[in-house]
Amino acid sequence: MLDIKKIRQDFPILNREVNGKPLVYLDNAATSQTPQQVIDVIVDYYSNYNANIHRGVHSLSQEATDKYEEARLKIQHHFNAKHAYEIILTSGTTESINLVAHGFGSLLEKGDEIIVSALEHHSNIVPWQMLCEKTGATLKVIPMTQEGELDMSTYADLLSAKTKLVFVNHISNALGTINPIESIIEQAHKAGAAVLLDGAQACPHIKPDVQALDVDFYVTSAHKICGPTGVGMLYGKQEWLEKLPPYQGGGEMIATVSFEKTTYAGLPHKFEAGTPNICGGIAFGAALDYMNAIGFDTIAAYENELLDYATQELLKIEGLKIYGTSKNKTSVISFNLEGIHPYDVGTLLDKMGIAVRTGHHCAQPIMAFYNIPGTIRASFAFYNTKAEVEALITGVKKAKMMLS
Ligand SMILES: *Cc1c(COP(=O)(O)O)cnc(C)c1O
């Protein structure tokens, strides 16, 4: 059981008011809030041992390096990677994806194919389009169904010996659908293709095991799992990370430099050019500690209760339509009120202190599929309460009355 009172005390921001009303924060799919335990780690870093890492003999630098590498180990253990050097610390999901896309630039040839899904975030579409332009490879798209699920029979048809890489999100940020990743990975491997999973939306709810999944690449951002912005990770199987060329040149990623020839450092440093987000990396580790102490099974069970309750109550509102009705989904609800623009509802909810996301959620192809400009998206975290769900329901009813 989750001790919600105690948990809410960990998040100072949940005590504030917005527009004279208590904050009801239901935009967790965009970014999560930060517990005091993680804030303390950030303050401690800048107060006590701020120094550059991997390059000083002095004590502060050693201390910062140790803490940073300790964070890498925490991330390794969390995702059950075989080796710590298979964890590359990046600025987030977007950079991790671009790193892999850049690397595949030197592995692909004209005629090769990349498969992505119709449920992707823009950060998962654009890098592959750029890669295809550069290499002459072709982009294929797994279509989606009305329920917001992937059409798996078309996926099977799209796979062939030409497929080099399959890229899907583990969970859709716009609809909350949990994709059948085990089957996606297994079928891709049979065709000889590598798989990259975007876990940005999955990691707040699920603890993925990259070895059990046998996935080739897995990426995520810390800021959706109670950590700071501007830091995230790329997990890659050693064999793949060795195959990919470095992403950026700079300090830290080299072994030797001369004007005749530069040799690159080994993993993970080959992909970590320049001074990283040191404090962010350490805080990322602390955020995983925080969430693991609560437990992902506990978190998921609690969030599912909120999801079921909110879904049931929202559907009682006449003219309200939910997009993304997969049985297998996380605590994200995308919806619209008939004849009312989502932006207007979002603006009124904000006046009531309720933070939701409105718009296309960086997933315009999904909105085009449903033929809508956008949705109102409420996304719940383990620190939200049933009372907050009730505030949302009341707010939506009020907004409907005012706007129709
Ligand atoms: C948030 C999100 C991203 C982008 O993450 P950044 O931290 O902005 O790089 C990518 N994919 C999904 C599914 C997301 O939810």
Side-chain angles (χ1 to χ4, degrees), residues 178-232:
I178 305 175
N179 288 316
I181 53 168
E182 288 85 359
S183 164
I184 288 171
I185 293 166
E186 197 192 324
Q187 294 185 59
H189 283 171
K190 270 195 194 132
V195 179
L196 164 54
L197 289 182
D198 170 358
Q201 208 56 241
C203 291
H205 317 286
I206 291 173
K207 185 172 175 166
D209 180 329
V210 292
Q211 287 190 81
L213 287 169
D214 192 29
V215 68
D216 303 284
F217 302 98
Y218 196 96
V219 299
T220 201
S221 298
H223 71 92
K224 292 191 180 162
I225 30 180
C226 296
T229 55
V231 65

Side-chain angles (χ1 to χ4, degrees), residues 89-97 219-223 230-234:
L89 286 153
T90 65
S91 68
T93 302
T94 303
E95 188 183 44
S96 299
I97 294 168
V219 299
T220 201
S221 298
H223 71 92
V231 65
M233 69 116 204
L234 159 68

Side-chain angles (χ1 to χ4, degrees), residues 291-303:
M291 294 194 62
N292 278 310
I294 300 169
F296 279 81
D297 290 341
T298 309
I299 287 172
Y302 179 79
E303 288 171 344

Side-chain angles (χ1 to χ4, degrees), residues 336-358:
N336 272 333
L337 290 167
E338 199 182 346
I340 300 175
H341 198 281
Y343 181 82
D344 295 335
V345 181
T347 307
L348 283 180
L349 288 175
D350 180 58
K351 295 248 179 332
M352 306 173 210
I354 303 170
V356 294
R357 177 89 179 262
T358 58

Side-chain angles (χ1 to χ4, degrees), residues 132-327:
C132 286
E133 244 167 60
K134 201 172 95 184
T135 59
T138 312
L139 197 64
K140 303 271 171 173
V141 183
I142 313 169
M144 60 182 277
T145 65
Q146 278 298 326
E147 291 74 34
E149 294 178 343
L150 292 180
D151 173 352
M152 291 295 283
S153 69
T154 304
Y155 171 59
D157 294 341
L158 289 175
L159 282 166
S160 77
K162 288 188 206 153
T163 314
K164 292 294 176 290
L165 184 70
V166 174
F167 178 82
V168 292
N169 53 34
H170 186 168
I171 293 181
S172 154
N173 71 304
L175 306 178
T177 314
I178 305 175
N179 288 316
I181 53 168
E182 288 85 359
S183 164
I184 288 171
I185 293 166
E186 197 192 324
Q187 294 185 59
H189 283 171
K190 270 195 194 132
V195 179
L196 164 54
L197 289 182
D198 170 358
Q201 208 56 241
C203 291
H205 317 286
I206 291 173
K207 185 172 175 166
D209 180 329
V210 292
Q211 287 190 81
L213 287 169
D214 192 29
V215 68
D216 303 284
F217 302 98
Y218 196 96
V219 299
T220 201
S221 298
H223 71 92
K224 292 191 180 162
I225 30 180
C226 296
T229 55
V231 65
M233 69 116 204
L234 159 68
Y235 158 79
K237 278 185 190 163
Q238 179 176 0
E239 57 191 272
W240 276 111
L241 292 179
E242 275 167 2
K243 248 182 255 177
L244 298 187
Y247 177 47
Q248 291 179 321
E252 192 77 357
M253 55 75 73
I254 46 85
T256 61
V257 175
S258 72
F259 282 106
E260 289 71 41
K261 181 161 177 58
T262 289
T263 55
Y264 303 127
L267 295 173
H269 306 294
K270 173 178 145 185
F271 294 110
E272 295 183 347
T275 302
N277 183 349
I278 302 167
C279 176
I282 296 167
F284 184 2
L288 290 177
D289 282 347
Y290 178 81
M291 294 194 62
N292 278 310
I294 300 169
F296 279 81
D297 290 341
T298 309
I299 287 172
Y302 179 79
E303 288 171 344
N304 283 339
E305 266 175 48
L306 293 181
L307 173 69
D308 289 346
Y309 179 63
T311 305
Q312 171 201 316
E313 292 305 308
L314 280 172
L315 285 175
K316 287 182 187 163
I317 300 172
E318 212 189 299
L320 187 143
K321 180 165 172 166
I322 292 179
Y323 299 90
T325 49
S326 173
K327 279 191 192 68

